[in-house]
Amino acid sequence: MSENINIAPEQAAPEKRKRIFSGVQPSGILTLGNYLGAIKNWVALQNDYDCLYCVVDLHAITVRQVPTDLRRRTLEGLALYVACGIDPEKSIMFVQSHVPSHAELAWVLGCYTGFGELSRMTQFKDKSQKHSDNINAGLFTYPVLMAADILLYQADLVPVGLDQKQHIEITRDVAQRFNGIYGDVFTIPEPYIPKTGMKINSLTDPTKKMSKSDPNPASFVAIIESRDETIRKIKRAVTDSDAVVRYAEGKDGINNLMTIYSSFTGKSFDEIEKEFDGKGYGDFKAAVGEVCADGLENVRAEYARIIKDKAYLEGIMKDGAEKALYLSKKTLSKVYKKVGFYAK
Ligand code: TYM
């Protein structure tokens, strides 16, 4: 007697979701630049990609850190990811030093990276000027560790601000070089850089990037500062004497504020120029301060709630580190085999 067999209709193999990796250094209080250039996009991307978001503490010690501050900021960094909307059910969040594969792959990749190519990195040149008393080897090999972060997880896309573009390019070069010798080991990642917000500039010197390590707090908007503080800082932002709200060369301060306004409202520069036609900088700055404070309000409220729950945050980092370790080990063991390390 023949049995009835239910044959499932043929299904197309589900398309593999693309992978994303990105991170922020816990080297200062996170700024509007970090939010608009990177984290805001991380949130938007997590529904369509498998995402890993890391607090990159190994990178942070390339510049001298106060240990208690670094520890605190690491937890705060993770809390901020959650407060900004990264969902631990959807994305993996973890602390870089909890997953030893990063340092391990960095060593291997360092042997496939040229001294010359590292010497050309603008971040290395900038930071060695800023910290001339501590030009350490870690500062020099920083991009190798960053390449390891990205390549370990076979990331397809890396959402970052403009300043990190060169580091993604060297990551691609190293991955291509390695693949050229050993076959297809690494996915070649692409940068994902937002059109608006890729470079938010300092409020006190708008020719320079807004930076969390700037010693002058008036130069940046911190994601978690008070509403009044944000409005006050933007009111005092350096502009020019032209008194016309217009996006133009040489108007770095106004261009920067227009970028911030556009990032929060979605309005184009043309629309912003029309909106403030005939109005002075005072009105414009007040409006920028308002949309910025409004745009960050939910994040601030969420952060104030979440930061109190250390057990919850530590649970997220522990769970994230386990998942990241599992994924990273797959790549690392492949790499070890390819280069000829004896299996244990
Ligand atoms: P970090 O910590 O300096 O900055 C974190 C992210 O914020 C972006 N960013 C900005 N975007 C626009 N305007 C600004 N003023 C601004 N300031 C910072 C940065 O481009 C970045 O996306 N090397 C990285 C951290 C890192 C990383 C990685 C990133 C380590 N490993 C792997 C991606 C993938 C850094 O120093 O970011």
PDB file of all heavy atoms in Angstrom, residues 21-25 31 33-34 37-38 56 59 123 127 142 146 149-150 158-164 167-168 197-201 209-212, ligand 1:
ATOM      1  N   PHE A  21      27.931  46.191   9.981  1.00  0.00           N
ATOM      2  CA  PHE A  21      28.706  46.383  11.217  1.00  0.00           C
ATOM      3  C   PHE A  21      29.023  47.874  11.342  1.00  0.00           C
ATOM      4  O   PHE A  21      29.375  48.533  10.365  1.00  0.00           O
ATOM      5  CB  PHE A  21      30.031  45.597  11.172  1.00  0.00           C
ATOM      6  CG  PHE A  21      30.813  45.736  12.451  1.00  0.00           C
ATOM      7  CD1 PHE A  21      30.695  44.788  13.464  1.00  0.00           C
ATOM      8  CD2 PHE A  21      31.630  46.842  12.678  1.00  0.00           C
ATOM      9  CE1 PHE A  21      31.372  44.935  14.670  1.00  0.00           C
ATOM     10  CE2 PHE A  21      32.301  47.010  13.888  1.00  0.00           C
ATOM     11  CZ  PHE A  21      32.176  46.048  14.882  1.00  0.00           C
ATOM     12  N   SER A  22      28.905  48.381  12.574  1.00  0.00           N
ATOM     13  CA  SER A  22      29.423  49.733  12.834  1.00  0.00           C
ATOM     14  C   SER A  22      29.701  49.897  14.326  1.00  0.00           C
ATOM     15  O   SER A  22      29.308  49.046  15.131  1.00  0.00           O
ATOM     16  CB  SER A  22      28.457  50.802  12.335  1.00  0.00           C
ATOM     17  OG  SER A  22      29.164  52.031  12.189  1.00  0.00           O
ATOM     18  N   GLY A  23      30.384  50.977  14.658  1.00  0.00           N
ATOM     19  CA  GLY A  23      30.734  51.189  16.062  1.00  0.00           C
ATOM     20  C   GLY A  23      31.067  52.633  16.367  1.00  0.00           C
ATOM     21  O   GLY A  23      31.308  53.436  15.456  1.00  0.00           O
ATOM     22  N   VAL A  24      31.032  52.946  17.648  1.00  0.00           N
ATOM     23  CA  VAL A  24      31.443  54.276  18.130  1.00  0.00           C
ATOM     24  C   VAL A  24      32.432  54.065  19.267  1.00  0.00           C
ATOM     25  O   VAL A  24      32.276  53.156  20.083  1.00  0.00           O
ATOM     26  CB  VAL A  24      30.227  55.096  18.641  1.00  0.00           C
ATOM     27  CG1 VAL A  24      30.671  56.447  19.184  1.00  0.00           C
ATOM     28  CG2 VAL A  24      29.188  55.311  17.541  1.00  0.00           C
ATOM     29  N   GLN A  25      33.444  54.910  19.324  1.00  0.00           N
ATOM     30  CA  GLN A  25      34.411  54.827  20.422  1.00  0.00           C
ATOM     31  C   GLN A  25      33.828  55.478  21.683  1.00  0.00           C
ATOM     32  O   GLN A  25      33.305  56.583  21.605  1.00  0.00           O
ATOM     33  CB  GLN A  25      35.661  55.626  20.081  1.00  0.00           C
ATOM     34  CG  GLN A  25      36.435  55.134  18.905  1.00  0.00           C
ATOM     35  CD  GLN A  25      37.754  55.879  18.802  1.00  0.00           C
ATOM     36  OE1 GLN A  25      38.609  55.764  19.664  1.00  0.00           O
ATOM     37  NE2 GLN A  25      37.904  56.651  17.757  1.00  0.00           N
ATOM     38  N   THR A  31      27.950  62.825  20.494  1.00  0.00           N
ATOM     39  CA  THR A  31      27.491  64.122  19.991  1.00  0.00           C
ATOM     40  C   THR A  31      26.428  63.993  18.894  1.00  0.00           C
ATOM     41  O   THR A  31      26.188  62.899  18.367  1.00  0.00           O
ATOM     42  CB  THR A  31      28.657  64.919  19.377  1.00  0.00           C
ATOM     43  OG1 THR A  31      29.021  64.270  18.146  1.00  0.00           O
ATOM     44  CG2 THR A  31      29.850  65.006  20.296  1.00  0.00           C
ATOM     45  N   GLY A  33      26.930  64.898  15.998  1.00  0.00           N
ATOM     46  CA  GLY A  33      27.644  64.377  14.822  1.00  0.00           C
ATOM     47  C   GLY A  33      27.547  62.859  14.776  1.00  0.00           C
ATOM     48  O   GLY A  33      27.242  62.282  13.727  1.00  0.00           O
ATOM     49  N   ASN A  34      27.775  62.201  15.910  1.00  0.00           N
ATOM     50  CA  ASN A  34      27.670  60.743  15.963  1.00  0.00           C
ATOM     51  C   ASN A  34      26.239  60.302  15.646  1.00  0.00           C
ATOM     52  O   ASN A  34      26.021  59.287  14.991  1.00  0.00           O
ATOM     53  CB  ASN A  34      28.040  60.201  17.355  1.00  0.00           C
ATOM     54  CG  ASN A  34      29.458  60.542  17.776  1.00  0.00           C
ATOM     55  OD1 ASN A  34      29.684  61.070  18.853  1.00  0.00           O
ATOM     56  ND2 ASN A  34      30.408  60.270  16.915  1.00  0.00           N
ATOM     57  N   GLY A  37      25.429  61.487  11.780  1.00  0.00           N
ATOM     58  CA  GLY A  37      26.335  60.839  10.822  1.00  0.00           C
ATOM     59  C   GLY A  37      26.213  59.324  10.847  1.00  0.00           C
ATOM     60  O   GLY A  37      26.437  58.662   9.836  1.00  0.00           O
ATOM     61  N   ALA A  38      25.876  58.755  12.007  1.00  0.00           N
ATOM     62  CA  ALA A  38      25.911  57.297  12.104  1.00  0.00           C
ATOM     63  C   ALA A  38      24.671  56.688  12.761  1.00  0.00           C
ATOM     64  O   ALA A  38      23.862  56.036  12.097  1.00  0.00           O
ATOM     65  CB  ALA A  38      27.177  56.873  12.858  1.00  0.00           C
ATOM     66  N   VAL A  56      33.355  50.379  20.646  1.00  0.00           N
ATOM     67  CA  VAL A  56      34.726  49.967  20.311  1.00  0.00           C
ATOM     68  C   VAL A  56      35.730  50.520  21.331  1.00  0.00           C
ATOM     69  O   VAL A  56      36.465  51.471  21.066  1.00  0.00           O
ATOM     70  CB  VAL A  56      35.092  50.322  18.846  1.00  0.00           C
ATOM     71  CG1 VAL A  56      34.328  49.442  17.878  1.00  0.00           C
ATOM     72  CG2 VAL A  56      34.828  51.776  18.509  1.00  0.00           C
ATOM     73  N   HIS A  59      39.610  50.478  20.448  1.00  0.00           N
ATOM     74  CA  HIS A  59      40.045  51.641  19.663  1.00  0.00           C
ATOM     75  C   HIS A  59      40.294  52.857  20.555  1.00  0.00           C
ATOM     76  O   HIS A  59      41.185  53.661  20.297  1.00  0.00           O
ATOM     77  CB  HIS A  59      38.992  52.014  18.615  1.00  0.00           C
ATOM     78  CG  HIS A  59      39.052  51.174  17.384  1.00  0.00           C
ATOM     79  ND1 HIS A  59      38.278  50.058  17.197  1.00  0.00           N
ATOM     80  CD2 HIS A  59      39.812  51.280  16.278  1.00  0.00           C
ATOM     81  CE1 HIS A  59      38.556  49.522  16.022  1.00  0.00           C
ATOM     82  NE2 HIS A  59      39.481  50.249  15.445  1.00  0.00           N
ATOM     83  N   GLN A 123      43.392  60.385   9.631  1.00  0.00           N
ATOM     84  CA  GLN A 123      43.087  60.378  11.067  1.00  0.00           C
ATOM     85  C   GLN A 123      44.366  60.172  11.890  1.00  0.00           C
ATOM     86  O   GLN A 123      44.531  60.773  12.942  1.00  0.00           O
ATOM     87  CB  GLN A 123      42.061  59.299  11.405  1.00  0.00           C
ATOM     88  CG  GLN A 123      41.627  59.363  12.856  1.00  0.00           C
ATOM     89  CD  GLN A 123      40.410  58.495  13.151  1.00  0.00           C
ATOM     90  OE1 GLN A 123      39.340  58.666  12.584  1.00  0.00           O
ATOM     91  NE2 GLN A 123      40.570  57.552  14.041  1.00  0.00           N
ATOM     92  N   LYS A 127      45.528  62.863  14.554  1.00  0.00           N
ATOM     93  CA  LYS A 127      45.630  62.490  15.967  1.00  0.00           C
ATOM     94  C   LYS A 127      47.074  62.540  16.457  1.00  0.00           C
ATOM     95  O   LYS A 127      47.318  62.830  17.627  1.00  0.00           O
ATOM     96  CB  LYS A 127      45.025  61.107  16.211  1.00  0.00           C
ATOM     97  CG  LYS A 127      43.504  61.142  16.166  1.00  0.00           C
ATOM     98  CD  LYS A 127      42.874  60.003  16.934  1.00  0.00           C
ATOM     99  CE  LYS A 127      41.356  60.138  16.938  1.00  0.00           C
ATOM    100  NZ  LYS A 127      40.670  58.964  17.461  1.00  0.00           N
ATOM    101  N   TYR A 142      45.553  51.494  14.067  1.00  0.00           N
ATOM    102  CA  TYR A 142      44.111  51.641  14.318  1.00  0.00           C
ATOM    103  C   TYR A 142      43.246  51.127  13.145  1.00  0.00           C
ATOM    104  O   TYR A 142      42.312  50.353  13.347  1.00  0.00           O
ATOM    105  CB  TYR A 142      43.855  53.130  14.601  1.00  0.00           C
ATOM    106  CG  TYR A 142      42.451  53.548  14.885  1.00  0.00           C
ATOM    107  CD1 TYR A 142      42.083  53.985  16.158  1.00  0.00           C
ATOM    108  CD2 TYR A 142      41.479  53.557  13.885  1.00  0.00           C
ATOM    109  CE1 TYR A 142      40.784  54.402  16.421  1.00  0.00           C
ATOM    110  CE2 TYR A 142      40.188  53.959  14.146  1.00  0.00           C
ATOM    111  CZ  TYR A 142      39.847  54.384  15.407  1.00  0.00           C
ATOM    112  OH  TYR A 142      38.565  54.786  15.665  1.00  0.00           O
ATOM    113  N   MET A 146      40.175  48.225  12.857  1.00  0.00           N
ATOM    114  CA  MET A 146      38.860  48.564  12.296  1.00  0.00           C
ATOM    115  C   MET A 146      38.520  47.609  11.141  1.00  0.00           C
ATOM    116  O   MET A 146      37.376  47.156  11.006  1.00  0.00           O
ATOM    117  CB  MET A 146      38.869  50.025  11.841  1.00  0.00           C
ATOM    118  CG  MET A 146      37.549  50.486  11.351  1.00  0.00           C
ATOM    119  SD  MET A 146      37.397  52.275  11.449  1.00  0.00           S
ATOM    120  CE  MET A 146      36.082  52.499  10.247  1.00  0.00           C
ATOM    121  N   ASP A 149      37.342  44.446  12.691  1.00  0.00           N
ATOM    122  CA  ASP A 149      35.964  44.566  13.178  1.00  0.00           C
ATOM    123  C   ASP A 149      34.966  44.227  12.068  1.00  0.00           C
ATOM    124  O   ASP A 149      34.007  43.481  12.260  1.00  0.00           O
ATOM    125  CB  ASP A 149      35.633  46.023  13.587  1.00  0.00           C
ATOM    126  CG  ASP A 149      36.487  46.545  14.713  1.00  0.00           C
ATOM    127  OD1 ASP A 149      37.062  45.731  15.454  1.00  0.00           O
ATOM    128  OD2 ASP A 149      36.571  47.789  14.850  1.00  0.00           O
ATOM    129  N   ILE A 150      35.217  44.834  10.928  1.00  0.00           N
ATOM    130  CA  ILE A 150      34.261  44.756   9.818  1.00  0.00           C
ATOM    131  C   ILE A 150      34.326  43.392   9.123  1.00  0.00           C
ATOM    132  O   ILE A 150      33.309  42.755   8.857  1.00  0.00           O
ATOM    133  CB  ILE A 150      34.564  45.885   8.802  1.00  0.00           C
ATOM    134  CG1 ILE A 150      34.377  47.256   9.479  1.00  0.00           C
ATOM    135  CG2 ILE A 150      33.721  45.752   7.547  1.00  0.00           C
ATOM    136  CD1 ILE A 150      34.968  48.425   8.700  1.00  0.00           C
ATOM    137  N   VAL A 158      28.775  49.365   5.867  1.00  0.00           N
ATOM    138  CA  VAL A 158      29.270  49.972   7.102  1.00  0.00           C
ATOM    139  C   VAL A 158      28.756  51.409   7.179  1.00  0.00           C
ATOM    140  O   VAL A 158      29.283  52.304   6.502  1.00  0.00           O
ATOM    141  CB  VAL A 158      30.821  49.951   7.142  1.00  0.00           C
ATOM    142  CG1 VAL A 158      31.333  50.424   8.496  1.00  0.00           C
ATOM    143  CG2 VAL A 158      31.359  48.560   6.842  1.00  0.00           C
ATOM    144  N   PRO A 159      27.692  51.652   7.955  1.00  0.00           N
ATOM    145  CA  PRO A 159      27.163  53.023   8.051  1.00  0.00           C
ATOM    146  C   PRO A 159      28.024  53.909   8.951  1.00  0.00           C
ATOM    147  O   PRO A 159      28.128  53.668  10.157  1.00  0.00           O
ATOM    148  CB  PRO A 159      25.754  52.830   8.646  1.00  0.00           C
ATOM    149  CG  PRO A 159      25.751  51.477   9.276  1.00  0.00           C
ATOM    150  CD  PRO A 159      26.887  50.686   8.709  1.00  0.00           C
ATOM    151  N   VAL A 160      28.645  54.902   8.351  1.00  0.00           N
ATOM    152  CA  VAL A 160      29.564  55.802   9.070  1.00  0.00           C
ATOM    153  C   VAL A 160      29.440  57.224   8.534  1.00  0.00           C
ATOM    154  O   VAL A 160      28.831  57.444   7.479  1.00  0.00           O
ATOM    155  CB  VAL A 160      31.043  55.375   8.879  1.00  0.00           C
ATOM    156  CG1 VAL A 160      31.396  54.158   9.702  1.00  0.00           C
ATOM    157  CG2 VAL A 160      31.374  55.144   7.412  1.00  0.00           C
ATOM    158  N   GLY A 161      30.059  58.159   9.242  1.00  0.00           N
ATOM    159  CA  GLY A 161      30.180  59.525   8.751  1.00  0.00           C
ATOM    160  C   GLY A 161      31.342  59.611   7.760  1.00  0.00           C
ATOM    161  O   GLY A 161      32.138  58.670   7.628  1.00  0.00           O
ATOM    162  N   LEU A 162      31.444  60.765   7.116  1.00  0.00           N
ATOM    163  CA  LEU A 162      32.445  60.950   6.056  1.00  0.00           C
ATOM    164  C   LEU A 162      33.881  60.717   6.530  1.00  0.00           C
ATOM    165  O   LEU A 162      34.717  60.200   5.785  1.00  0.00           O
ATOM    166  CB  LEU A 162      32.295  62.379   5.495  1.00  0.00           C
ATOM    167  CG  LEU A 162      33.148  62.725   4.300  1.00  0.00           C
ATOM    168  CD1 LEU A 162      32.757  61.883   3.096  1.00  0.00           C
ATOM    169  CD2 LEU A 162      33.006  64.212   3.953  1.00  0.00           C
ATOM    170  N   ASP A 163      34.168  61.089   7.789  1.00  0.00           N
ATOM    171  CA  ASP A 163      35.551  60.977   8.280  1.00  0.00           C
ATOM    172  C   ASP A 163      36.067  59.539   8.287  1.00  0.00           C
ATOM    173  O   ASP A 163      37.272  59.327   8.360  1.00  0.00           O
ATOM    174  CB  ASP A 163      35.661  61.587   9.691  1.00  0.00           C
ATOM    175  CG  ASP A 163      34.803  60.856  10.705  1.00  0.00           C
ATOM    176  OD1 ASP A 163      33.681  60.447  10.359  1.00  0.00           O
ATOM    177  OD2 ASP A 163      35.262  60.680  11.839  1.00  0.00           O
ATOM    178  N   GLN A 164      35.169  58.558   8.230  1.00  0.00           N
ATOM    179  CA  GLN A 164      35.604  57.161   8.286  1.00  0.00           C
ATOM    180  C   GLN A 164      35.737  56.511   6.909  1.00  0.00           C
ATOM    181  O   GLN A 164      36.094  55.339   6.803  1.00  0.00           O
ATOM    182  CB  GLN A 164      34.643  56.342   9.158  1.00  0.00           C
ATOM    183  CG  GLN A 164      34.623  56.763  10.615  1.00  0.00           C
ATOM    184  CD  GLN A 164      35.995  56.684  11.259  1.00  0.00           C
ATOM    185  OE1 GLN A 164      36.711  55.692  11.109  1.00  0.00           O
ATOM    186  NE2 GLN A 164      36.401  57.736  11.956  1.00  0.00           N
ATOM    187  N   HIS A 167      39.025  54.875   6.099  1.00  0.00           N
ATOM    188  CA  HIS A 167      39.241  53.619   6.823  1.00  0.00           C
ATOM    189  C   HIS A 167      38.482  52.450   6.184  1.00  0.00           C
ATOM    190  O   HIS A 167      38.926  51.313   6.248  1.00  0.00           O
ATOM    191  CB  HIS A 167      38.830  53.769   8.298  1.00  0.00           C
ATOM    192  CG  HIS A 167      39.784  54.608   9.090  1.00  0.00           C
ATOM    193  ND1 HIS A 167      39.453  55.173  10.289  1.00  0.00           N
ATOM    194  CD2 HIS A 167      41.064  54.966   8.836  1.00  0.00           C
ATOM    195  CE1 HIS A 167      40.492  55.849  10.745  1.00  0.00           C
ATOM    196  NE2 HIS A 167      41.470  55.751   9.888  1.00  0.00           N
ATOM    197  N   ILE A 168      37.355  52.758   5.581  1.00  0.00           N
ATOM    198  CA  ILE A 168      36.621  51.676   4.882  1.00  0.00           C
ATOM    199  C   ILE A 168      37.385  51.317   3.599  1.00  0.00           C
ATOM    200  O   ILE A 168      37.444  50.151   3.206  1.00  0.00           O
ATOM    201  CB  ILE A 168      35.168  52.088   4.514  1.00  0.00           C
ATOM    202  CG1 ILE A 168      34.439  52.758   5.679  1.00  0.00           C
ATOM    203  CG2 ILE A 168      34.366  50.887   3.988  1.00  0.00           C
ATOM    204  CD1 ILE A 168      34.079  51.921   6.824  1.00  0.00           C
ATOM    205  N   GLY A 197      24.214  65.189   6.751  1.00  0.00           N
ATOM    206  CA  GLY A 197      24.648  64.784   8.090  1.00  0.00           C
ATOM    207  C   GLY A 197      25.934  63.988   8.093  1.00  0.00           C
ATOM    208  O   GLY A 197      26.391  63.549   9.138  1.00  0.00           O
ATOM    209  N   MET A 198      26.558  63.792   6.907  1.00  0.00           N
ATOM    210  CA  MET A 198      27.796  63.009   6.861  1.00  0.00           C
ATOM    211  C   MET A 198      28.943  63.723   7.586  1.00  0.00           C
ATOM    212  O   MET A 198      29.895  63.111   8.016  1.00  0.00           O
ATOM    213  CB  MET A 198      28.193  62.701   5.429  1.00  0.00           C
ATOM    214  CG  MET A 198      28.547  63.909   4.611  1.00  0.00           C
ATOM    215  SD  MET A 198      29.313  63.416   3.099  1.00  0.00           S
ATOM    216  CE  MET A 198      28.112  63.870   1.896  1.00  0.00           C
ATOM    217  N   LYS A 199      28.818  65.062   7.675  1.00  0.00           N
ATOM    218  CA  LYS A 199      29.837  65.811   8.419  1.00  0.00           C
ATOM    219  C   LYS A 199      29.181  67.002   9.109  1.00  0.00           C
ATOM    220  O   LYS A 199      28.853  67.993   8.457  1.00  0.00           O
ATOM    221  CB  LYS A 199      30.954  66.275   7.487  1.00  0.00           C
ATOM    222  CG  LYS A 199      32.107  66.902   8.235  1.00  0.00           C
ATOM    223  CD  LYS A 199      33.321  67.139   7.349  1.00  0.00           C
ATOM    224  CE  LYS A 199      34.436  67.780   8.123  1.00  0.00           C
ATOM    225  NZ  LYS A 199      34.751  69.123   7.669  1.00  0.00           N
ATOM    226  N   ILE A 200      28.972  66.840  10.406  1.00  0.00           N
ATOM    227  CA  ILE A 200      28.453  67.950  11.199  1.00  0.00           C
ATOM    228  C   ILE A 200      29.675  68.655  11.792  1.00  0.00           C
ATOM    229  O   ILE A 200      30.582  67.997  12.322  1.00  0.00           O
ATOM    230  CB  ILE A 200      27.526  67.410  12.332  1.00  0.00           C
ATOM    231  CG1 ILE A 200      26.363  66.595  11.747  1.00  0.00           C
ATOM    232  CG2 ILE A 200      27.026  68.549  13.222  1.00  0.00           C
ATOM    233  CD1 ILE A 200      25.404  67.356  10.851  1.00  0.00           C
ATOM    234  N   ASN A 201      29.683  69.963  11.683  1.00  0.00           N
ATOM    235  CA  ASN A 201      30.875  70.683  12.128  1.00  0.00           C
ATOM    236  C   ASN A 201      30.720  71.273  13.527  1.00  0.00           C
ATOM    237  O   ASN A 201      29.619  71.376  14.066  1.00  0.00           O
ATOM    238  CB  ASN A 201      31.238  71.761  11.106  1.00  0.00           C
ATOM    239  CG  ASN A 201      31.873  71.157   9.862  1.00  0.00           C
ATOM    240  OD1 ASN A 201      32.346  70.015   9.901  1.00  0.00           O
ATOM    241  ND2 ASN A 201      31.871  71.883   8.776  1.00  0.00           N
ATOM    242  N   LYS A 209      35.385  69.444  12.096  1.00  0.00           N
ATOM    243  CA  LYS A 209      34.356  68.447  12.442  1.00  0.00           C
ATOM    244  C   LYS A 209      33.953  68.562  13.915  1.00  0.00           C
ATOM    245  O   LYS A 209      34.810  68.795  14.768  1.00  0.00           O
ATOM    246  CB  LYS A 209      34.987  67.068  12.181  1.00  0.00           C
ATOM    247  CG  LYS A 209      34.069  65.891  12.313  1.00  0.00           C
ATOM    248  CD  LYS A 209      34.855  64.586  12.214  1.00  0.00           C
ATOM    249  CE  LYS A 209      35.586  64.280  13.500  1.00  0.00           C
ATOM    250  NZ  LYS A 209      35.914  62.873  13.717  1.00  0.00           N
ATOM    251  N   MET A 210      32.670  68.400  14.193  1.00  0.00           N
ATOM    252  CA  MET A 210      32.228  68.323  15.596  1.00  0.00           C
ATOM    253  C   MET A 210      32.799  67.030  16.182  1.00  0.00           C
ATOM    254  O   MET A 210      32.674  65.973  15.582  1.00  0.00           O
ATOM    255  CB  MET A 210      30.699  68.299  15.658  1.00  0.00           C
ATOM    256  CG  MET A 210      30.151  68.271  17.078  1.00  0.00           C
ATOM    257  SD  MET A 210      28.338  68.194  17.128  1.00  0.00           S
ATOM    258  CE  MET A 210      27.876  69.876  16.759  1.00  0.00           C
ATOM    259  N   SER A 211      33.427  67.162  17.354  1.00  0.00           N
ATOM    260  CA  SER A 211      34.105  65.983  17.900  1.00  0.00           C
ATOM    261  C   SER A 211      33.806  65.802  19.380  1.00  0.00           C
ATOM    262  O   SER A 211      33.812  66.764  20.149  1.00  0.00           O
ATOM    263  CB  SER A 211      35.618  66.150  17.698  1.00  0.00           C
ATOM    264  OG  SER A 211      36.322  65.224  18.484  1.00  0.00           O
ATOM    265  N   LYS A 212      33.561  64.531  19.776  1.00  0.00           N
ATOM    266  CA  LYS A 212      33.259  64.255  21.186  1.00  0.00           C
ATOM    267  C   LYS A 212      34.481  64.437  22.076  1.00  0.00           C
ATOM    268  O   LYS A 212      34.347  64.554  23.285  1.00  0.00           O
ATOM    269  CB  LYS A 212      32.650  62.863  21.351  1.00  0.00           C
ATOM    270  CG  LYS A 212      33.502  61.697  20.877  1.00  0.00           C
ATOM    271  CD  LYS A 212      32.866  60.376  21.264  1.00  0.00           C
ATOM    272  CE  LYS A 212      32.706  59.380  20.130  1.00  0.00           C
ATOM    273  NZ  LYS A 212      33.916  58.988  19.416  1.00  0.00           N
TER     274      LYS A 212
HETATM  275  P1  TYM B   1      33.909  57.739  16.119  1.00  0.00           P
HETATM  276  O1  TYM B   1      33.748  57.151  17.471  1.00  0.00           O
HETATM  277  O2  TYM B   1      34.842  58.870  15.949  1.00  0.00           O
HETATM  278  O3  TYM B   1      32.515  58.186  15.543  1.00  0.00           O
HETATM  279  C1  TYM B   1      31.417  57.299  15.481  1.00  0.00           C
HETATM  280  C2  TYM B   1      30.624  57.520  14.222  1.00  0.00           C
HETATM  281  O4  TYM B   1      30.152  58.859  14.173  1.00  0.00           O
HETATM  282  C3  TYM B   1      30.566  59.472  12.947  1.00  0.00           C
HETATM  283  N1  TYM B   1      30.887  60.872  13.231  1.00  0.00           N
HETATM  284  C4  TYM B   1      30.364  61.914  12.572  1.00  0.00           C
HETATM  285  N2  TYM B   1      29.503  61.993  11.547  1.00  0.00           N
HETATM  286  C5  TYM B   1      29.163  63.222  11.111  1.00  0.00           C
HETATM  287  N3  TYM B   1      29.660  64.361  11.660  1.00  0.00           N
HETATM  288  C6  TYM B   1      30.525  64.332  12.689  1.00  0.00           C
HETATM  289  N4  TYM B   1      30.995  65.447  13.220  1.00  0.00           N
HETATM  290  C7  TYM B   1      30.920  63.065  13.186  1.00  0.00           C
HETATM  291  N5  TYM B   1      31.749  62.675  14.193  1.00  0.00           N
HETATM  292  C8  TYM B   1      31.721  61.330  14.194  1.00  0.00           C
HETATM  293  C9  TYM B   1      31.811  58.704  12.530  1.00  0.00           C
HETATM  294  O5  TYM B   1      32.039  58.816  11.144  1.00  0.00           O
HETATM  295  C10 TYM B   1      31.445  57.305  12.959  1.00  0.00           C
HETATM  296  O6  TYM B   1      30.643  56.682  11.995  1.00  0.00           O
HETATM  297  N6  TYM B   1      36.871  54.488  13.792  1.00  0.00           N
HETATM  298  C11 TYM B   1      35.509  54.755  14.176  1.00  0.00           C
HETATM  299  C12 TYM B   1      34.908  53.697  15.078  1.00  0.00           C
HETATM  300  C13 TYM B   1      35.007  52.305  14.536  1.00  0.00           C
HETATM  301  C14 TYM B   1      34.217  51.767  13.498  1.00  0.00           C
HETATM  302  C15 TYM B   1      34.663  50.424  13.338  1.00  0.00           C
HETATM  303  C16 TYM B   1      33.202  52.291  12.693  1.00  0.00           C
HETATM  304  C17 TYM B   1      35.860  51.347  14.942  1.00  0.00           C
HETATM  305  N7  TYM B   1      35.643  50.201  14.226  1.00  0.00           N
HETATM  306  C18 TYM B   1      34.101  49.593  12.380  1.00  0.00           C
HETATM  307  C19 TYM B   1      32.637  51.438  11.725  1.00  0.00           C
HETATM  308  C20 TYM B   1      33.097  50.125  11.590  1.00  0.00           C
HETATM  309  C21 TYM B   1      35.481  56.073  14.932  1.00  0.00           C
HETATM  310  O7  TYM B   1      36.461  56.553  15.408  1.00  0.00           O
HETATM  311  O8  TYM B   1      34.255  56.581  15.081  1.00  0.00           O
END
